[in-house]
Amino acid sequence: MPAITKITIQKKNKDRYNIYTDSEHGETYAFSVDEDVLIKYNMKKGKEIDSLLIGEIQFQDEIRKAYNTAIHYLSSRMRSESEVRTHLIKKEYAVELIDEVIHKLYQYQFLNDEEFAIAFVRTQKNTTDKGPNIIKHELKDKGIAENIIQDVIELYPKEEQVETAISLCQKYTLKYKKDSSRMMQQKIEQMLTRKGFSYDMIQLALEEIQLEKDDDEEMGALKRQAEKISRKYNHEEPFIYEQKLKQALFRKGFPLHLIDAYLKENKDV
């Protein structure tokens, strides 16, 4: 049975050790191990090791490598179990090694999906303009269990949802000010839906925002749109031109009485 003849520290990685054993050809490099594995197996000069023990040591060393990879991945921010598993799979660690690592990470409290989800919801609601539906979808993508998602989303109360939705309404009201009141509201509702807000929260937010323009503001928006549309149809016969312009403006949400007033004003000029 071969015995350890020498143990040296690796030059580029001070936490790993090279193990040498005797053989019929003299002293030979056998394998390398992490410092924790070295200590666990009480590896020292003169210790005899057979192939079975070497296999066990190398398996434990692979677990240690994967564990260190996971710890490094977790060092920048909190991660879910699913994220860690995916990262280790990409690093081509075997499934049985990953299971062992995940167990150790939970054991030493480096992993906790509930705490991760709580921190994630708080960060998203405080630093982004995402609604709860988007946040829930992102948590699901990160492998968080549905029961945890339903619990932690309560950290984003309806009052805060409405406040965020109102802030978005105010921002996008300026962006869509050249549109008709009806088109502006439609675009804002679509935007809030994409951002992850429910129908009820959207309606509550819209009740707090003045989207309805007076006739002068609406006419101003109508004229700007009409100028763009006119270039598309100005080659048509007068009657066809008027009908197509009228239809286009109506599709953009302008009321018929203002469209007729605009067409009459331009006809009289």
Side-chain angles (χ1 to χ4, degrees), residues 12-27:
K12 293 184 178 181
N13 188 343
K14 301 300 182 182
D15 293 326
R16 293 193 64 78
Y17 292 78
N18 295 325
I19 308 300
Y20 295 83
T21 58
D22 56 8
S23 70
E24 56 188 38
H25 301 295
E27 185 177 79

Side-chain angles (χ1 to χ4, degrees), residues 43-243:
M43 298 173 71
K44 57 187 178 182
K45 186 175 180 180
K47 181 182 178 73
E48 294 185 337
I49 50 175
D50 59 18
S51 58
L52 186 64
L53 180 58
I54 291 174
E56 182 182 337
I57 290 170
Q58 289 180 321
F59 179 74
Q60 291 299 319
D61 189 57
E62 284 298 306
I63 292 175
R64 190 66 195 179
K65 286 179 184 177
Y67 180 78
N68 289 341
T69 299
I71 291 296
H72 179 73
Y73 183 58
L74 287 162
S75 64
S76 58
R77 66 169 176 83
M78 292 179 72
R79 313 273 185 177
S80 68
E81 176 186 329
S82 178
E83 286 180 306
V84 174
R85 283 187 179 277
T86 299
H87 182 71
L88 293 176
I89 288 170
K90 288 179 179 178
K91 296 293 184 180
E92 300 184 346
Y93 288 107
V95 173
E96 60 269 23
L97 289 177
I98 295 173
D99 289 340
E100 290 284 344
V101 170
I102 294 298
H103 176 74
K104 287 172 66 71
L105 292 172
Y106 273 111
Q107 181 181 355
Y108 294 110
Q109 299 182 353
F110 288 112
L111 273 184
N112 186 314
D113 272 3
E114 185 173 356
E115 289 183 6
F116 169 84
I118 289 171
F120 186 85
V121 171
R122 285 175 174 163
T123 299
Q124 295 303 304
K125 78 182 182 69
N126 291 331
T127 63
T128 75
D129 55 16
K130 297 173 184 174
N133 292 340
I134 291 293
I135 295 173
K136 287 192 289 186
H137 180 73
E138 290 177 345
L139 284 170
K140 187 175 181 179
D141 282 347
K142 293 180 182 295
I144 303 302
E146 187 64 30
N147 64 307
I148 294 177
I149 293 174
Q150 293 306 320
D151 287 341
V152 300
I153 204 63
E154 298 299 322
L155 296 169
Y156 196 173
K158 292 181 178 179
E159 296 79 11
E160 291 185 43
Q161 293 178 37
V162 174
E163 287 178 11
T164 302
I166 289 173
S167 177
L168 283 166
C169 285
Q170 292 169 336
K171 176 182 176 181
Y172 281 82
T173 296
L174 295 174
K175 180 177 180 179
Y176 300 134
K177 65 181 179 181
K178 293 181 180 179
D179 292 309
S180 65
S181 296
R182 185 159 66 88
M183 185 62 70
M184 177 191 292
Q185 179 167 334
Q186 181 179 326
K187 287 183 176 181
I188 288 175
E189 288 177 344
Q190 291 171 346
M191 174 273 299
L192 290 173
T193 300
R194 289 194 302 272
K195 290 282 188 181
F197 293 92
S198 68
Y199 175 82
D200 290 343
M201 294 301 103
I202 291 171
Q203 297 310 307
L204 287 172
L206 290 176
E207 288 173 7
E208 300 296 322
I209 300 296
Q210 178 59 44
L211 294 179
E212 196 70 33
K213 301 174 183 177
D214 60 33
D215 279 357
D216 287 342
E217 291 176 316
E218 193 82 339
M219 181 59 83
L222 186 153
K223 287 179 178 178
R224 285 191 291 270
Q225 294 294 332
E227 288 173 5
K228 295 179 183 178
I229 297 168
S230 293
R231 292 193 286 270
K232 184 177 180 181
Y233 301 125
N234 59 12
H235 63 283
E236 302 281 3
E237 293 294 326
F239 176 77
I240 301 298
Y241 165 82
E242 183 175 302
Q243 291 304 306

